[in-house]
Amino acid sequence: MLFPTPLLDALRAAPATPAFEHGARIVTRGEPLELIRRLTDALREAELGPGGRSPSGPR
């Protein structure tokens, strides 16, 4: 299994379980999973995927 599959599987397995705590702030496993989903959706919408190039071309 390649990274980040095990991490994503762990987040999906128990989305209501705390993943991080900082003081009184508790972040559930579902919160970073939702952020990851939103980011990947935005990258796909921008037609940026594995092996893709940025709109400005290679650097």
Side-chain angles (χ1 to χ4, degrees):
M1 212 178 286
L2 296 175
F3 182 83
T5 303
L7 174 61
L8 296 174
D9 289 345
L11 294 174
R12 285 185 194 109
T17 301
F20 308 104
E21 296 182 32
H22 183 268
R25 170 91 164 105
I26 298 173
V27 177
T28 66
R29 291 179 179 193
E31 290 177 74
L33 190 60
E34 175 62 17
L35 178 60
I36 292 165
R37 185 198 61 77
R38 289 176 30 215
L39 289 169
T40 55
D41 286 350
L43 289 169
R44 284 186 186 116
E45 187 176 318
E47 298 181 2
L48 297 173
R53 294 180 181 210
S54 68
S56 61
R59 294 180 185 227

